[in-house]
mmCIF file of all heavy atoms in Angstrom:
data_model
loop_
_atom_site.group_PDB
_atom_site.id
_atom_site.type_symbol
_atom_site.label_atom_id
_atom_site.label_comp_id
_atom_site.label_asym_id
_atom_site.label_seq_id
_atom_site.Cartn_x
_atom_site.Cartn_y
_atom_site.Cartn_z
ATOM 1 N N ALA A 276 37.993 43.862 -20.816
ATOM 2 C CA ALA A 276 37.651 44.983 -19.948
ATOM 3 C C ALA A 276 37.152 46.156 -20.775
ATOM 4 O O ALA A 276 36.173 46.810 -20.406
ATOM 5 C CB ALA A 276 38.875 45.394 -19.131
ATOM 6 N N LEU A 277 37.802 46.445 -21.902
ATOM 7 C CA LEU A 277 37.356 47.549 -22.757
ATOM 8 C C LEU A 277 36.001 47.274 -23.379
ATOM 9 O O LEU A 277 35.173 48.176 -23.529
ATOM 10 C CB LEU A 277 38.388 47.827 -23.836
ATOM 11 C CG LEU A 277 39.406 48.922 -23.519
ATOM 12 C CD1 LEU A 277 40.486 48.993 -24.576
ATOM 13 C CD2 LEU A 277 38.726 50.279 -23.395
ATOM 14 N N GLU A 278 35.776 46.046 -23.757
ATOM 15 C CA GLU A 278 34.449 45.703 -24.314
ATOM 16 C C GLU A 278 33.354 45.926 -23.284
ATOM 17 O O GLU A 278 32.222 46.261 -23.621
ATOM 18 C CB GLU A 278 34.449 44.256 -24.797
ATOM 19 C CG GLU A 278 35.226 44.063 -26.100
ATOM 20 C CD GLU A 278 35.297 42.609 -26.516
ATOM 21 O OE1 GLU A 278 35.108 41.719 -25.636
ATOM 22 O OE2 GLU A 278 35.556 42.327 -27.701
ATOM 23 N N ALA A 279 33.703 45.744 -21.986
ATOM 24 C CA ALA A 279 32.704 45.895 -20.932
ATOM 25 C C ALA A 279 32.436 47.376 -20.578
ATOM 26 O O ALA A 279 31.291 47.746 -20.286
ATOM 27 C CB ALA A 279 33.157 45.161 -19.667
ATOM 28 N N VAL A 280 33.482 48.217 -20.654
ATOM 29 C CA VAL A 280 33.308 49.618 -20.192
ATOM 30 C C VAL A 280 33.421 50.636 -21.318
ATOM 31 O O VAL A 280 33.203 51.827 -21.095
ATOM 32 C CB VAL A 280 34.324 49.965 -19.083
ATOM 33 C CG1 VAL A 280 34.166 49.063 -17.887
ATOM 34 C CG2 VAL A 280 35.752 49.922 -19.613
ATOM 35 N N GLY A 281 33.758 50.213 -22.529
ATOM 36 C CA GLY A 281 33.908 51.167 -23.625
ATOM 37 C C GLY A 281 33.833 50.490 -24.974
ATOM 38 O O GLY A 281 33.106 49.512 -25.156
ATOM 39 N N ASP A 282 34.576 51.039 -25.930
ATOM 40 C CA ASP A 282 34.668 50.494 -27.288
ATOM 41 C C ASP A 282 36.086 50.056 -27.539
ATOM 42 O O ASP A 282 37.031 50.667 -27.020
ATOM 43 C CB ASP A 282 34.269 51.548 -28.317
ATOM 44 C CG ASP A 282 32.827 51.998 -28.172
ATOM 45 O OD1 ASP A 282 31.949 51.121 -28.152
ATOM 46 O OD2 ASP A 282 32.607 53.209 -28.057
ATOM 47 N N ILE A 283 36.288 49.034 -28.373
ATOM 48 C CA ILE A 283 37.610 48.508 -28.601
ATOM 49 C C ILE A 283 37.782 48.105 -30.044
ATOM 50 O O ILE A 283 36.871 47.540 -30.652
ATOM 51 C CB ILE A 283 37.894 47.304 -27.664
ATOM 52 C CG1 ILE A 283 39.301 46.700 -27.930
ATOM 53 C CG2 ILE A 283 36.819 46.243 -27.824
ATOM 54 C CD1 ILE A 283 40.428 47.600 -27.568
ATOM 55 N N ALA A 284 38.896 48.427 -30.599
ATOM 56 C CA ALA A 284 39.331 47.858 -31.876
ATOM 57 C C ALA A 284 40.670 47.195 -31.608
ATOM 58 O O ALA A 284 41.604 47.834 -31.156
ATOM 59 C CB ALA A 284 39.501 48.962 -32.914
ATOM 60 N N PHE A 285 40.733 45.901 -31.816
ATOM 61 C CA PHE A 285 41.953 45.156 -31.536
ATOM 62 C C PHE A 285 42.577 44.823 -32.881
ATOM 63 O O PHE A 285 42.021 44.082 -33.662
ATOM 64 C CB PHE A 285 41.625 43.880 -30.752
ATOM 65 C CG PHE A 285 42.843 43.178 -30.231
ATOM 66 C CD1 PHE A 285 43.411 43.568 -29.018
ATOM 67 C CD2 PHE A 285 43.427 42.157 -30.945
ATOM 68 C CE1 PHE A 285 44.532 42.942 -28.549
ATOM 69 C CE2 PHE A 285 44.559 41.521 -30.485
ATOM 70 C CZ PHE A 285 45.108 41.900 -29.279
ATOM 71 N N TRP A 286 43.716 45.391 -33.135
ATOM 72 C CA TRP A 286 44.300 45.324 -34.471
ATOM 73 C C TRP A 286 45.607 44.560 -34.490
ATOM 74 O O TRP A 286 46.367 44.532 -33.517
ATOM 75 C CB TRP A 286 44.598 46.731 -34.999
ATOM 76 C CG TRP A 286 43.418 47.588 -35.180
ATOM 77 C CD1 TRP A 286 42.106 47.221 -35.239
ATOM 78 C CD2 TRP A 286 43.430 49.017 -35.312
ATOM 79 N NE1 TRP A 286 41.307 48.309 -35.418
ATOM 80 C CE2 TRP A 286 42.073 49.423 -35.474
ATOM 81 C CE3 TRP A 286 44.426 49.972 -35.342
ATOM 82 C CZ2 TRP A 286 41.716 50.751 -35.641
ATOM 83 C CZ3 TRP A 286 44.073 51.289 -35.504
ATOM 84 C CH2 TRP A 286 42.740 51.680 -35.650
ATOM 85 N N ARG A 287 45.845 43.971 -35.636
ATOM 86 C CA ARG A 287 47.177 43.493 -35.977
ATOM 87 C C ARG A 287 47.692 44.454 -37.051
ATOM 88 O O ARG A 287 47.087 44.571 -38.108
ATOM 89 C CB ARG A 287 47.147 42.048 -36.487
ATOM 90 C CG ARG A 287 46.710 41.061 -35.406
ATOM 91 C CD ARG A 287 46.378 39.712 -35.996
ATOM 92 N NE ARG A 287 47.539 39.065 -36.563
ATOM 93 C CZ ARG A 287 47.597 38.560 -37.796
ATOM 94 N NH1 ARG A 287 46.535 38.650 -38.599
ATOM 95 N NH2 ARG A 287 48.679 37.958 -38.255
ATOM 96 N N VAL A 288 48.768 45.148 -36.750
ATOM 97 C CA VAL A 288 49.322 46.144 -37.664
ATOM 98 C C VAL A 288 50.537 45.543 -38.358
ATOM 99 O O VAL A 288 51.369 44.899 -37.731
ATOM 100 C CB VAL A 288 49.713 47.431 -36.905
ATOM 101 C CG1 VAL A 288 50.249 48.480 -37.874
ATOM 102 C CG2 VAL A 288 48.516 47.962 -36.146
ATOM 103 N N ALA A 289 50.634 45.761 -39.678
ATOM 104 C CA ALA A 289 51.716 45.186 -40.456
ATOM 105 C C ALA A 289 53.011 45.959 -40.204
ATOM 106 O O ALA A 289 53.464 46.775 -41.021
ATOM 107 C CB ALA A 289 51.350 45.212 -41.941
ATOM 108 N N MET A 290 53.608 45.701 -39.047
ATOM 109 C CA MET A 290 54.837 46.388 -38.667
ATOM 110 C C MET A 290 55.620 45.533 -37.685
ATOM 111 O O MET A 290 55.066 44.602 -37.061
ATOM 112 C CB MET A 290 54.518 47.744 -38.010
ATOM 113 C CG MET A 290 53.767 47.629 -36.708
ATOM 114 S SD MET A 290 53.351 49.240 -35.959
ATOM 115 C CE MET A 290 54.957 49.811 -35.435
ATOM 116 N N ARG A 291 56.877 45.847 -37.552
ATOM 117 C CA ARG A 291 57.742 45.248 -36.524
ATOM 118 C C ARG A 291 58.741 46.297 -36.067
ATOM 119 O O ARG A 291 59.330 46.976 -36.910
ATOM 120 C CB ARG A 291 58.483 44.018 -37.089
ATOM 121 C CG ARG A 291 59.214 43.217 -35.991
ATOM 122 C CD ARG A 291 60.129 42.184 -36.550
ATOM 123 N NE ARG A 291 61.302 42.807 -37.183
ATOM 124 C CZ ARG A 291 62.462 42.172 -37.428
ATOM 125 N NH1 ARG A 291 62.587 40.892 -37.129
ATOM 126 N NH2 ARG A 291 63.460 42.811 -38.005
ATOM 127 N N PRO A 292 58.914 46.422 -34.738
ATOM 128 C CA PRO A 292 58.183 45.768 -33.655
ATOM 129 C C PRO A 292 56.851 46.444 -33.415
ATOM 130 O O PRO A 292 56.624 47.550 -33.877
ATOM 131 C CB PRO A 292 59.118 45.945 -32.462
ATOM 132 C CG PRO A 292 59.813 47.253 -32.757
ATOM 133 C CD PRO A 292 59.987 47.318 -34.244
ATOM 134 N N GLY A 293 55.960 45.753 -32.679
ATOM 135 C CA GLY A 293 54.715 46.378 -32.264
ATOM 136 C C GLY A 293 53.483 45.971 -33.039
ATOM 137 O O GLY A 293 52.573 46.757 -33.179
ATOM 138 N N ARG A 294 53.404 44.723 -33.503
ATOM 139 C CA ARG A 294 52.254 44.328 -34.325
ATOM 140 C C ARG A 294 50.928 44.407 -33.581
ATOM 141 O O ARG A 294 49.958 44.921 -34.129
ATOM 142 C CB ARG A 294 52.474 42.920 -34.874
ATOM 143 C CG ARG A 294 51.318 42.466 -35.782
ATOM 144 C CD ARG A 294 51.635 41.143 -36.451
ATOM 145 N NE ARG A 294 51.742 40.064 -35.483
ATOM 146 C CZ ARG A 294 51.895 38.795 -35.835
ATOM 147 N NH1 ARG A 294 51.994 38.457 -37.100
ATOM 148 N NH2 ARG A 294 51.982 37.854 -34.912
ATOM 149 N N PRO A 295 50.819 43.898 -32.332
ATOM 150 C CA PRO A 295 49.506 44.013 -31.653
ATOM 151 C C PRO A 295 49.281 45.426 -31.131
ATOM 152 O O PRO A 295 50.155 46.037 -30.525
ATOM 153 C CB PRO A 295 49.620 43.021 -30.497
ATOM 154 C CG PRO A 295 51.071 42.938 -30.199
ATOM 155 C CD PRO A 295 51.790 43.156 -31.499
ATOM 156 N N LEU A 296 48.107 45.967 -31.397
ATOM 157 C CA LEU A 296 47.768 47.305 -30.958
ATOM 158 C C LEU A 296 46.287 47.363 -30.647
ATOM 159 O O LEU A 296 45.458 46.928 -31.461
ATOM 160 C CB LEU A 296 48.086 48.348 -32.019
ATOM 161 C CG LEU A 296 47.716 49.811 -31.710
ATOM 162 C CD1 LEU A 296 48.641 50.381 -30.653
ATOM 163 C CD2 LEU A 296 47.731 50.648 -32.983
ATOM 164 N N ALA A 297 45.941 47.848 -29.471
ATOM 165 C CA ALA A 297 44.520 48.052 -29.124
ATOM 166 C C ALA A 297 44.265 49.551 -29.139
ATOM 167 O O ALA A 297 45.043 50.345 -28.599
ATOM 168 C CB ALA A 297 44.228 47.471 -27.761
ATOM 169 N N PHE A 298 43.175 49.935 -29.784
ATOM 170 C CA PHE A 298 42.750 51.309 -29.775
ATOM 171 C C PHE A 298 41.249 51.354 -29.550
ATOM 172 O O PHE A 298 40.515 50.557 -30.128
ATOM 173 C CB PHE A 298 43.079 52.014 -31.087
ATOM 174 C CG PHE A 298 42.520 53.421 -31.150
ATOM 175 C CD1 PHE A 298 43.051 54.431 -30.350
ATOM 176 C CD2 PHE A 298 41.460 53.731 -31.967
ATOM 177 C CE1 PHE A 298 42.544 55.709 -30.392
ATOM 178 C CE2 PHE A 298 40.936 55.011 -32.017
ATOM 179 C CZ PHE A 298 41.481 56.007 -31.214
ATOM 180 N N GLY A 299 40.834 52.230 -28.662
ATOM 181 C CA GLY A 299 39.406 52.321 -28.375
ATOM 182 C C GLY A 299 39.116 53.554 -27.589
ATOM 183 O O GLY A 299 39.837 54.557 -27.632
ATOM 184 N N ALA A 300 38.022 53.508 -26.839
ATOM 185 C CA ALA A 300 37.608 54.670 -26.044
ATOM 186 C C ALA A 300 36.792 54.198 -24.861
ATOM 187 O O ALA A 300 36.055 53.209 -24.914
ATOM 188 C CB ALA A 300 36.779 55.642 -26.894
ATOM 189 N N VAL A 301 36.948 54.933 -23.764
ATOM 190 C CA VAL A 301 36.090 54.776 -22.608
ATOM 191 C C VAL A 301 35.325 56.082 -22.492
ATOM 192 O O VAL A 301 35.897 57.125 -22.165
ATOM 193 C CB VAL A 301 36.892 54.505 -21.320
ATOM 194 C CG1 VAL A 301 35.938 54.332 -20.136
ATOM 195 C CG2 VAL A 301 37.782 53.291 -21.495
ATOM 196 N N GLY A 302 34.048 56.033 -22.846
ATOM 197 C CA GLY A 302 33.293 57.272 -22.986
ATOM 198 C C GLY A 302 33.879 58.063 -24.140
ATOM 199 O O GLY A 302 34.009 57.571 -25.263
ATOM 200 N N ASP A 303 34.278 59.307 -23.873
ATOM 201 C CA ASP A 303 34.894 60.142 -24.892
ATOM 202 C C ASP A 303 36.411 60.194 -24.768
ATOM 203 O O ASP A 303 37.065 61.001 -25.434
ATOM 204 C CB ASP A 303 34.351 61.581 -24.805
ATOM 205 C CG ASP A 303 32.897 61.657 -25.271
ATOM 206 O OD1 ASP A 303 32.538 60.852 -26.159
ATOM 207 O OD2 ASP A 303 32.150 62.509 -24.755
ATOM 208 N N THR A 304 36.977 59.343 -23.946
ATOM 209 C CA THR A 304 38.425 59.355 -23.712
ATOM 210 C C THR A 304 39.124 58.288 -24.547
ATOM 211 O O THR A 304 38.838 57.103 -24.375
ATOM 212 C CB THR A 304 38.742 59.134 -22.218
ATOM 213 O OG1 THR A 304 38.056 60.089 -21.434
ATOM 214 C CG2 THR A 304 40.234 59.223 -21.952
ATOM 215 N N PRO A 305 40.015 58.669 -25.453
ATOM 216 C CA PRO A 305 40.713 57.671 -26.258
ATOM 217 C C PRO A 305 41.595 56.778 -25.401
ATOM 218 O O PRO A 305 42.156 57.210 -24.384
ATOM 219 C CB PRO A 305 41.576 58.507 -27.211
ATOM 220 C CG PRO A 305 41.013 59.888 -27.161
ATOM 221 C CD PRO A 305 40.398 60.045 -25.802
ATOM 222 N N PHE A 306 41.746 55.539 -25.861
ATOM 223 C CA PHE A 306 42.569 54.566 -25.149
ATOM 224 C C PHE A 306 43.515 53.884 -26.133
ATOM 225 O O PHE A 306 43.113 53.514 -27.232
ATOM 226 C CB PHE A 306 41.706 53.486 -24.493
ATOM 227 C CG PHE A 306 42.501 52.298 -24.017
ATOM 228 C CD1 PHE A 306 43.145 52.326 -22.798
ATOM 229 C CD2 PHE A 306 42.606 51.161 -24.810
ATOM 230 C CE1 PHE A 306 43.894 51.239 -22.376
ATOM 231 C CE2 PHE A 306 43.360 50.066 -24.392
ATOM 232 C CZ PHE A 306 44.004 50.105 -23.173
ATOM 233 N N PHE A 307 44.779 53.758 -25.727
ATOM 234 C CA PHE A 307 45.759 52.969 -26.477
ATOM 235 C C PHE A 307 46.249 51.831 -25.583
ATOM 236 O O PHE A 307 46.709 52.080 -24.462
ATOM 237 C CB PHE A 307 46.962 53.816 -26.901
ATOM 238 C CG PHE A 307 46.745 54.631 -28.144
ATOM 239 C CD1 PHE A 307 46.360 55.969 -28.032
ATOM 240 C CD2 PHE A 307 46.919 54.099 -29.394
ATOM 241 C CE1 PHE A 307 46.180 56.738 -29.161
ATOM 242 C CE2 PHE A 307 46.734 54.854 -30.540
ATOM 243 C CZ PHE A 307 46.347 56.174 -30.417
ATOM 244 N N GLY A 308 46.189 50.613 -26.098
ATOM 245 C CA GLY A 308 46.810 49.475 -25.468
ATOM 246 C C GLY A 308 48.047 49.122 -26.252
ATOM 247 O O GLY A 308 47.969 48.594 -27.367
#
Side-chain angles (χ1 to χ4, degrees):
L277 265 172
E278 286 176 339
V280 300
D282 297 307
I283 178 67
F285 190 85
W286 297 343
R287 294 167 66 231
V288 181
M290 64 182 289
R291 189 190 71 160
R294 182 173 66 174
L296 177 73
F298 174 70
V301 181
D303 289 329
T304 304
F306 167 83
F307 279 96

